[in-house]
Amino acid sequence: MKPLLQVLAGHALPRPPVWLMRQAGRYLPEYRELRAKAPNFIEFCLNPEAAAEVTLQPVRRFGMDGAILFADILLIPHALGQPVAFEAGEGPRLEPIRDAAGVAKLSDARAAETLAPVMETVKRVRAGLPAETTLIGFAGAPWTVATYMIEGRGKTDYENCRRMMWSEPKLFAALIDKLVDATAAYLIAQADAGAEALKIFDSWAGAVPATLFDMAVTEPTARIVRAVRARHPSIPIIGLPRGAGSHVAHYAAETGVNAVAIDHMTDIAAVPLPKGVAAQGNLDPMLLMTGGAAMDEEARRIIAAMAGRPFIFNLGHGVLQHTPVEHVGRLIDVVKGRA
Ligand code: 1CP
Protein backbone atom coordinates (compact mmCIF):
# COMPACT_ATOMS: atom_id res chain seq x y z
CA MET A 1 0.00 0.00 0.00
CA LYS A 2 1.19 3.57 -0.70
CA PRO A 3 2.78 5.20 2.40
CA LEU A 4 0.16 7.93 2.74
CA LEU A 5 -2.66 5.36 2.52
CA GLN A 6 -0.96 3.18 5.13
CA VAL A 7 -0.98 6.07 7.59
CA LEU A 8 -4.58 6.93 6.73
CA ALA A 9 -5.40 3.28 7.53
CA GLY A 10 -4.07 3.96 11.03
CA HIS A 11 -0.49 2.64 10.80
CA ALA A 12 2.57 4.44 12.12
CA LEU A 13 5.51 4.48 9.69
CA PRO A 14 9.20 4.87 10.62
CA ARG A 15 9.36 7.97 8.41
CA PRO A 16 6.19 10.03 8.00
CA PRO A 17 4.84 10.57 4.49
CA VAL A 18 4.78 14.23 3.50
CA TRP A 19 2.82 16.63 1.31
CA LEU A 20 2.08 20.33 1.72
CA MET A 21 -1.17 22.25 1.60
CA ARG A 22 -1.03 24.59 -1.42
CA GLN A 23 2.01 22.73 -2.73
CA ALA A 24 0.84 23.68 -6.22
CA GLY A 25 0.62 27.40 -6.72
CA ARG A 26 2.13 30.79 -7.00
CA TYR A 27 5.51 30.15 -5.28
CA LEU A 28 6.42 27.88 -8.23
CA PRO A 29 7.70 29.62 -11.40
CA GLU A 30 6.34 26.80 -13.59
CA TYR A 31 2.88 27.39 -12.05
CA ARG A 32 3.04 31.15 -12.69
CA GLU A 33 4.02 30.53 -16.28
CA LEU A 34 0.97 28.35 -17.00
CA ARG A 35 -1.36 30.49 -14.92
CA ALA A 36 -0.38 33.61 -16.91
CA LYS A 37 -1.79 31.99 -20.04
CA ALA A 38 -5.26 31.40 -18.53
CA PRO A 39 -8.00 34.01 -18.96
CA ASN A 40 -9.28 33.59 -15.39
CA PHE A 41 -8.79 31.38 -12.37
CA ILE A 42 -12.07 29.42 -12.60
CA GLU A 43 -11.36 28.53 -16.23
CA PHE A 44 -7.85 27.53 -15.23
CA CYS A 45 -9.26 25.15 -12.58
CA LEU A 46 -11.71 23.73 -15.15
CA ASN A 47 -9.03 23.11 -17.78
CA PRO A 48 -8.03 19.45 -17.23
CA GLU A 49 -4.77 19.71 -19.13
CA ALA A 50 -3.56 22.76 -17.15
CA ALA A 51 -4.96 21.56 -13.81
CA ALA A 52 -3.39 18.10 -14.16
CA GLU A 53 -0.06 19.66 -15.08
CA VAL A 54 0.03 22.01 -12.06
CA THR A 55 -1.07 19.16 -9.77
CA LEU A 56 1.97 17.17 -10.93
CA GLN A 57 4.50 20.05 -10.88
CA PRO A 58 5.41 19.98 -7.17
CA VAL A 59 5.49 16.16 -7.10
CA ARG A 60 7.87 16.11 -10.04
CA ARG A 61 10.14 18.73 -8.47
CA PHE A 62 10.14 17.57 -4.83
CA GLY A 63 8.75 14.01 -4.69
CA MET A 64 5.98 14.51 -2.14
CA ASP A 65 4.03 11.39 -1.08
CA GLY A 66 0.72 13.07 -1.87
CA ALA A 67 -0.56 15.09 -4.82
CA ILE A 68 -3.47 17.41 -4.06
CA LEU A 69 -5.86 17.86 -6.94
CA PHE A 70 -5.55 21.35 -8.40
CA ALA A 71 -8.96 22.99 -8.08
CA ASP A 72 -10.57 25.41 -5.63
CA ILE A 73 -13.20 25.26 -2.91
CA LEU A 74 -15.12 28.02 -4.71
CA LEU A 75 -15.92 25.78 -7.68
CA ILE A 76 -18.97 24.63 -5.67
CA PRO A 77 -20.66 28.06 -5.48
CA HIS A 78 -19.75 28.53 -9.15
CA ALA A 79 -21.35 25.17 -10.01
CA LEU A 80 -24.48 26.09 -8.02
CA GLY A 81 -24.89 29.22 -10.12
CA GLN A 82 -23.46 31.92 -7.83
CA PRO A 83 -21.13 34.20 -9.84
CA VAL A 84 -17.52 33.88 -8.58
CA ALA A 85 -14.63 36.04 -9.80
CA PHE A 86 -10.98 36.21 -8.78
CA GLU A 87 -9.61 39.73 -9.06
CA ALA A 88 -5.82 39.93 -9.42
CA GLY A 89 -4.24 40.52 -6.02
CA GLU A 90 -7.60 40.89 -4.30
CA GLY A 91 -8.79 37.33 -3.84
CA PRO A 92 -12.25 35.97 -4.59
CA ARG A 93 -15.37 38.10 -5.15
CA LEU A 94 -18.88 36.62 -5.11
CA GLU A 95 -22.34 38.16 -5.30
CA PRO A 96 -23.23 37.78 -1.62
CA ILE A 97 -26.20 35.65 -0.53
CA ARG A 98 -28.02 37.21 2.42
CA ASP A 99 -31.66 36.16 2.10
CA ALA A 100 -34.05 33.32 1.22
CA ALA A 101 -34.26 34.39 -2.42
CA GLY A 102 -30.48 34.11 -2.72
CA VAL A 103 -30.44 30.60 -1.24
CA ALA A 104 -33.42 29.54 -3.39
CA LYS A 105 -31.57 30.59 -6.55
CA LEU A 106 -28.78 28.07 -5.93
CA SER A 107 -29.37 25.01 -8.07
CA ASP A 108 -27.47 21.77 -8.45
CA ALA A 109 -29.22 20.97 -11.74
CA ARG A 110 -26.05 21.67 -13.76
CA ALA A 111 -23.43 21.11 -11.06
CA ALA A 112 -22.22 17.70 -12.25
CA GLU A 113 -21.85 18.99 -15.80
CA THR A 114 -19.99 22.13 -14.68
CA LEU A 115 -17.63 20.10 -12.53
CA ALA A 116 -17.06 17.29 -15.04
CA PRO A 117 -13.66 18.75 -16.13
CA VAL A 118 -12.39 18.24 -12.56
CA MET A 119 -13.07 14.51 -12.92
CA GLU A 120 -11.09 14.53 -16.15
CA THR A 121 -8.23 16.19 -14.24
CA VAL A 122 -8.40 13.43 -11.61
CA LYS A 123 -8.10 10.76 -14.31
CA ARG A 124 -5.15 12.49 -15.96
CA VAL A 125 -3.30 12.96 -12.69
CA ARG A 126 -3.82 9.34 -11.68
CA ALA A 127 -2.33 8.29 -15.01
CA GLY A 128 0.70 10.59 -14.55
CA LEU A 129 1.58 9.99 -10.89
CA PRO A 130 4.49 7.90 -9.63
CA ALA A 131 3.35 4.53 -8.22
CA GLU A 132 4.07 5.50 -4.60
CA THR A 133 2.21 8.84 -4.68
CA THR A 134 -1.38 9.20 -3.46
CA LEU A 135 -3.89 11.45 -5.21
CA ILE A 136 -5.92 13.50 -2.74
CA GLY A 137 -9.20 14.98 -3.95
CA PHE A 138 -10.85 17.73 -1.91
CA ALA A 139 -13.68 20.14 -1.31
CA GLY A 140 -14.33 22.99 1.07
CA ALA A 141 -16.47 22.19 4.10
CA PRO A 142 -19.95 23.73 4.00
CA TRP A 143 -19.19 26.33 6.68
CA THR A 144 -15.99 27.59 5.01
CA VAL A 145 -17.60 27.72 1.56
CA ALA A 146 -20.65 29.45 3.08
CA THR A 147 -18.44 32.20 4.51
CA TYR A 148 -17.45 33.22 0.98
CA MET A 149 -21.00 32.84 -0.31
CA ILE A 150 -22.49 35.00 2.44
CA GLU A 151 -19.75 37.62 2.82
CA GLY A 152 -18.96 37.75 -0.89
CA ARG A 153 -15.22 37.71 -0.22
CA GLY A 154 -12.45 36.32 1.97
CA LYS A 155 -10.56 37.93 4.85
CA THR A 156 -13.59 39.23 6.76
CA ASP A 157 -14.83 39.12 10.35
CA TYR A 158 -17.71 36.87 9.25
CA GLU A 159 -20.22 39.42 10.54
CA ASN A 160 -22.95 38.58 8.02
CA CYS A 161 -22.43 34.86 8.59
CA ARG A 162 -22.68 35.16 12.36
CA ARG A 163 -25.70 37.44 12.06
CA MET A 164 -27.46 34.89 9.84
CA MET A 165 -26.52 31.92 12.06
CA TRP A 166 -27.98 33.52 15.18
CA SER A 167 -30.93 35.45 13.79
CA GLU A 168 -32.01 33.29 10.83
CA PRO A 169 -30.94 29.76 11.72
CA LYS A 170 -33.39 28.17 9.26
CA LEU A 171 -32.03 30.18 6.36
CA PHE A 172 -28.46 29.34 7.36
CA ALA A 173 -29.39 25.64 7.66
CA ALA A 174 -31.00 25.71 4.20
CA LEU A 175 -27.75 27.02 2.72
CA ILE A 176 -25.67 24.43 4.61
CA ASP A 177 -28.03 21.63 3.46
CA LYS A 178 -27.53 22.58 -0.18
CA LEU A 179 -23.78 22.64 0.36
CA VAL A 180 -23.77 19.24 2.10
CA ASP A 181 -25.57 17.64 -0.85
CA ALA A 182 -23.49 19.34 -3.55
CA THR A 183 -20.20 18.67 -1.73
CA ALA A 184 -20.98 15.00 -1.08
CA ALA A 185 -21.88 14.50 -4.76
CA TYR A 186 -18.69 16.30 -5.84
CA LEU A 187 -16.44 14.22 -3.56
CA ILE A 188 -18.14 10.98 -4.62
CA ALA A 189 -17.53 11.93 -8.28
CA GLN A 190 -13.83 12.57 -7.50
CA ALA A 191 -13.58 9.14 -5.85
CA ASP A 192 -15.39 7.55 -8.82
CA ALA A 193 -12.82 9.21 -11.12
CA GLY A 194 -9.85 7.86 -9.16
CA ALA A 195 -9.10 10.08 -6.15
CA GLU A 196 -7.55 7.79 -3.51
CA ALA A 197 -8.14 9.97 -0.46
CA LEU A 198 -10.32 13.03 0.14
CA LYS A 199 -9.83 16.15 2.21
CA ILE A 200 -12.49 18.46 3.58
CA PHE A 201 -11.07 21.96 4.17
CA ASP A 202 -12.78 23.86 6.98
CA SER A 203 -10.23 26.65 6.90
CA TRP A 204 -12.36 29.11 8.87
CA ALA A 205 -13.79 26.69 11.47
CA GLY A 206 -12.09 28.85 14.11
CA ALA A 207 -14.55 31.69 13.44
CA VAL A 208 -17.64 29.73 14.52
CA PRO A 209 -19.13 30.62 17.93
CA ALA A 210 -18.56 27.60 20.24
CA THR A 211 -22.29 27.02 20.81
CA LEU A 212 -22.86 26.71 17.06
CA PHE A 213 -19.78 24.60 16.27
CA ASP A 214 -21.60 21.29 15.89
CA MET A 215 -24.39 22.79 13.81
CA ALA A 216 -22.00 24.61 11.45
CA VAL A 217 -18.92 22.38 11.39
CA THR A 218 -19.22 18.91 12.95
CA GLU A 219 -22.67 17.86 11.69
CA PRO A 220 -22.37 18.99 8.06
CA THR A 221 -18.95 17.33 7.83
CA ALA A 222 -20.30 14.12 9.43
CA ARG A 223 -23.15 14.06 6.90
CA ILE A 224 -20.71 14.39 4.00
CA VAL A 225 -18.48 11.63 5.43
CA ARG A 226 -21.50 9.32 5.77
CA ALA A 227 -22.70 10.05 2.22
CA VAL A 228 -19.24 9.45 0.72
CA ARG A 229 -18.78 6.23 2.73
CA ALA A 230 -22.14 4.93 1.52
CA ARG A 231 -20.64 4.88 -1.99
CA HIS A 232 -16.95 4.41 -1.19
CA PRO A 233 -16.82 2.57 2.15
CA SER A 234 -13.05 2.49 2.42
CA ILE A 235 -11.87 5.81 0.96
CA PRO A 236 -9.90 7.69 3.63
CA ILE A 237 -11.03 11.20 4.50
CA ILE A 238 -8.90 13.95 6.08
CA GLY A 239 -10.62 16.82 7.90
CA LEU A 240 -9.09 20.26 8.50
CA PRO A 241 -11.02 22.07 11.24
CA ARG A 242 -8.56 24.96 11.19
CA GLY A 243 -8.51 27.10 14.33
CA ALA A 244 -10.97 24.78 16.09
CA GLY A 245 -8.74 24.53 19.19
CA SER A 246 -10.52 22.69 21.98
CA HIS A 247 -13.13 21.27 19.57
CA VAL A 248 -10.64 19.19 17.58
CA ALA A 249 -10.93 15.87 19.46
CA HIS A 250 -14.73 16.12 19.45
CA TYR A 251 -14.68 16.92 15.71
CA ALA A 252 -12.50 13.86 15.07
CA ALA A 253 -14.75 11.55 17.07
CA GLU A 254 -18.06 12.84 15.72
CA THR A 255 -17.27 13.31 12.02
CA GLY A 256 -15.68 9.89 11.54
CA VAL A 257 -12.74 11.26 9.51
CA ASN A 258 -9.63 9.04 9.22
CA ALA A 259 -7.22 11.88 9.84
CA VAL A 260 -7.28 15.39 11.22
CA ALA A 261 -5.08 18.15 9.85
CA ILE A 262 -3.78 20.15 12.80
CA ASP A 263 -3.03 23.88 12.47
CA HIS A 264 0.22 25.42 13.69
CA MET A 265 -1.47 27.14 16.64
CA THR A 266 -2.08 23.71 18.21
CA ASP A 267 0.40 21.35 19.93
CA ILE A 268 -0.04 18.41 17.56
CA ALA A 269 1.32 15.80 19.98
CA ALA A 270 -1.13 16.87 22.69
CA VAL A 271 -4.36 16.51 20.67
CA PRO A 272 -6.30 13.52 22.10
CA LEU A 273 -7.38 11.91 18.80
CA PRO A 274 -9.47 8.71 18.83
CA LYS A 275 -7.46 5.50 18.39
CA GLY A 276 -6.57 4.84 14.76
CA VAL A 277 -7.22 8.43 13.65
CA ALA A 278 -4.10 9.90 12.03
CA ALA A 279 -2.76 13.40 12.63
CA GLN A 280 -1.43 15.61 9.86
CA GLY A 281 0.58 18.79 10.30
CA ASN A 282 1.71 21.22 11.46
CA LEU A 283 4.81 23.31 10.65
CA ASP A 284 4.11 27.05 10.56
CA PRO A 285 4.07 28.08 6.86
CA MET A 286 6.03 31.19 7.90
CA LEU A 287 8.89 28.96 8.98
CA LEU A 288 8.93 27.44 5.49
CA MET A 289 9.16 30.99 4.18
CA THR A 290 12.05 31.96 6.51
CA GLY A 291 13.83 28.58 6.31
CA GLY A 292 17.30 27.92 7.76
CA ALA A 293 18.31 25.89 10.79
CA ALA A 294 15.15 26.92 12.67
CA MET A 295 13.00 25.22 10.02
CA ASP A 296 15.07 22.02 10.07
CA GLU A 297 14.93 21.89 13.88
CA GLU A 298 11.19 22.47 14.07
CA ALA A 299 10.50 19.82 11.40
CA ARG A 300 12.63 17.31 13.32
CA ARG A 301 10.95 18.25 16.60
CA ILE A 302 7.47 17.63 15.15
CA ILE A 303 8.56 14.28 13.64
CA ALA A 304 10.10 13.16 16.96
CA ALA A 305 7.01 14.25 18.92
CA MET A 306 4.77 12.15 16.64
CA ALA A 307 7.02 9.06 16.47
CA GLY A 308 5.14 5.79 16.84
CA ARG A 309 1.78 7.29 15.89
CA PRO A 310 -0.05 7.47 12.55
CA PHE A 311 1.27 10.80 11.29
CA ILE A 312 1.54 12.70 7.99
CA PHE A 313 3.96 15.60 7.83
CA ASN A 314 2.46 18.82 6.45
CA LEU A 315 2.21 22.51 7.25
CA GLY A 316 -0.36 24.01 9.61
CA HIS A 317 -1.84 25.89 6.63
CA GLY A 318 -0.96 26.52 2.98
CA VAL A 319 2.42 27.40 1.45
CA LEU A 320 2.69 31.21 1.37
CA GLN A 321 3.04 32.90 -2.00
CA HIS A 322 6.55 34.31 -1.55
CA THR A 323 8.07 31.12 -0.13
CA PRO A 324 11.52 30.41 -1.67
CA VAL A 325 11.36 27.24 -3.76
CA GLU A 326 14.66 25.97 -2.23
CA HIS A 327 13.11 25.97 1.23
CA VAL A 328 10.40 23.59 0.06
CA GLY A 329 13.02 21.24 -1.40
CA ARG A 330 15.02 21.40 1.83
CA LEU A 331 11.97 20.65 4.00
CA ILE A 332 11.01 17.60 1.95
CA ASP A 333 14.64 16.38 2.16
CA VAL A 334 14.67 16.81 5.94
CA VAL A 335 11.39 14.92 6.37
CA LYS A 336 12.51 12.17 4.01
CA GLY A 337 15.78 11.79 5.91
CA ARG A 338 17.86 12.93 2.93
CA ALA A 339 19.29 15.93 4.80
O1 1CP B 1 -4.36 33.16 -9.34
C1 1CP B 1 -4.06 32.24 -8.56
O2 1CP B 1 -3.11 31.48 -8.83
C2 1CP B 1 -4.91 32.12 -7.34
C3 1CP B 1 -4.29 31.46 -6.15
C4 1CP B 1 -5.04 30.19 -5.78
C5 1CP B 1 -4.57 28.87 -5.86
C6 1CP B 1 -3.21 28.43 -6.30
C7 1CP B 1 -6.38 30.11 -5.35
C8 1CP B 1 -7.30 31.23 -5.18
N1 1CP B 1 -6.72 28.79 -5.19
C9 1CP B 1 -5.65 27.99 -5.49
C10 1CP B 1 -5.62 26.50 -5.51
C11 1CP B 1 -6.18 25.76 -4.38
N2 1CP B 1 -7.11 26.23 -3.48
C12 1CP B 1 -5.89 24.41 -4.06
C13 1CP B 1 -5.04 23.45 -4.89
C14 1CP B 1 -3.57 23.70 -4.80
C15 1CP B 1 -2.83 23.08 -3.66
O3 1CP B 1 -3.32 22.98 -2.54
O4 1CP B 1 -1.67 22.66 -3.90
C16 1CP B 1 -6.59 24.10 -2.90
C17 1CP B 1 -6.57 22.80 -2.11
C18 1CP B 1 -7.38 25.26 -2.56
C19 1CP B 1 -8.33 25.31 -1.46
C20 1CP B 1 -8.81 26.63 -0.96
N3 1CP B 1 -9.21 27.72 -1.69
C21 1CP B 1 -9.04 26.90 0.40
C22 1CP B 1 -8.85 25.89 1.51
C23 1CP B 1 -7.41 25.71 1.87
C24 1CP B 1 -6.79 26.89 2.58
O5 1CP B 1 -5.77 27.38 2.06
O6 1CP B 1 -7.29 27.27 3.64
C25 1CP B 1 -9.54 28.21 0.49
C26 1CP B 1 -9.92 28.95 1.77
C27 1CP B 1 -9.65 28.73 -0.83
C28 1CP B 1 -10.21 30.05 -1.25
C29 1CP B 1 -9.27 30.83 -2.10
N4 1CP B 1 -8.83 30.41 -3.31
C30 1CP B 1 -7.96 31.33 -3.84
C31 1CP B 1 -7.87 32.41 -2.93
C32 1CP B 1 -7.02 33.63 -3.11
C33 1CP B 1 -8.69 32.08 -1.85
C34 1CP B 1 -9.00 32.96 -0.67
C35 1CP B 1 -8.16 32.71 0.53
C36 1CP B 1 -8.59 33.70 1.63
O7 1CP B 1 -9.78 33.96 1.81
O8 1CP B 1 -7.68 34.18 2.30
Side-chain angles (χ1 to χ4, degrees):
M1 208 195 268
K2 302 182 182 189
L4 197 68
L5 294 176
Q6 286 183 46
V7 174
L8 290 172
H11 303 294
L13 299 187
R15 167 189 83 66
V18 55
W19 68 281
L20 305 177
M21 284 190 258
R22 294 286 177 106
Q23 66 188 25
R26 289 175 291 187
Y27 75 101
L28 280 178
E30 58 267 38
Y31 171 85
R32 292 196 298 269
E33 198 188 313
L34 261 188
R35 174 72 181 89
K37 294 184 193 148
N40 69 63
F41 185 66
I42 296 276
E43 279 185 44
F44 188 54
C45 290
L46 294 176
N47 175 337
E49 195 185 344
E53 169 58 20
V54 297
T55 303
L56 293 168
Q57 283 173 347
V59 177
R60 214 179 274 140
R61 208 190 242 265
F62 306 113
M64 286 92 170
D65 295 287
I68 177 104
L69 169 69
F70 190 84
D72 197 81
I73 64 166
L74 299 177
L75 291 181
I76 287 289
H78 169 74
L80 293 176
Q82 182 179 19
V84 179
F86 283 85
E87 309 295 344
E90 285 186 41
R93 289 284 185 277
L94 298 83
E95 280 175 23
I97 292 177
R98 305 271 166 84
D99 56 19
V103 174
K105 261 205 283 180
L106 297 170
S107 164
D108 63 3
R110 300 194 55 191
E113 186 190 333
T114 306
L115 297 168
V118 176
M119 311 317 149
E120 177 60 26
T121 305
V122 169
K123 289 180 190 150
R124 287 179 187 229
V125 175
R126 266 308 286 279
L129 270 185
E132 290 298 293
T133 315
T134 301
L135 174 56
I136 306 162
F138 78 94
W143 157 255
T144 287
V145 176
T147 65
Y148 292 92
M149 296 173 81
I150 296 169
E151 301 294 342
R153 53 185 295 168
K155 300 196 168 63
T156 65
D157 290 330
Y158 313 97
E159 288 184 357
N160 296 290
C161 298
R162 281 152 52 223
R163 178 182 292 125
M164 190 193 289
M165 293 164 95
W166 288 117
S167 68
E168 291 185 274
K170 288 204 171 107
L171 178 61
F172 182 77
L175 175 57
I176 293 290
D177 285 350
K178 285 197 172 186
L179 287 170
V180 166
D181 292 345
T183 305
Y186 180 49
L187 290 173
I188 288 167
Q190 292 180 30
D192 290 345
E196 302 170 278
L198 299 170
K199 181 160 177 184
I200 301 173
F201 283 94
D202 224 340
S203 303
W204 313 126
V208 177
T211 306
L212 303 179
F213 190 84
D214 279 344
M215 180 273 279
V217 173
T218 315
E219 286 161 15
T221 301
R223 287 164 63 195
I224 292 169
V225 170
R226 279 199 298 273
V228 171
R229 293 255 169 81
R231 279 284 293 277
H232 291 276
S234 56
I235 192 159
I237 302 175
I238 308 168
L240 166 79
R242 187 171 174 276
S246 59
H247 300 292
V248 172
H250 171 77
Y251 168 96
E254 297 298 316
T255 58
V257 292
N258 303 79
V260 184
I262 305 294
D263 58 51
H264 47 281
M265 299 80 90
T266 302
D267 177 357
I268 189 166
V271 180
L273 291 177
K275 202 171 157 33
V277 173
Q280 176 183 285
N282 76 338
L283 190 98
D284 182 356
M286 186 51 76
L287 197 42
L288 181 60
M289 172 102 90
T290 55
M295 178 183 82
D296 294 8
E297 275 165 32
E298 175 68 353
R300 293 190 172 112
R301 184 196 67 74
I302 293 169
I303 292 167
M306 295 306 290
R309 294 197 249 174
F311 169 60
I312 299 161
F313 193 95
N314 205 308
L315 305 176
H317 201 194
V319 176
L320 296 164
Q321 186 181 350
H322 301 293
T323 299
V325 174
E326 322 75 81
H327 294 184
V328 177
R330 172 75 193 180
L331 179 64
I332 303 300
D333 285 348
V334 168
V335 179
K336 293 212 167 235
R338 297 190 295 234

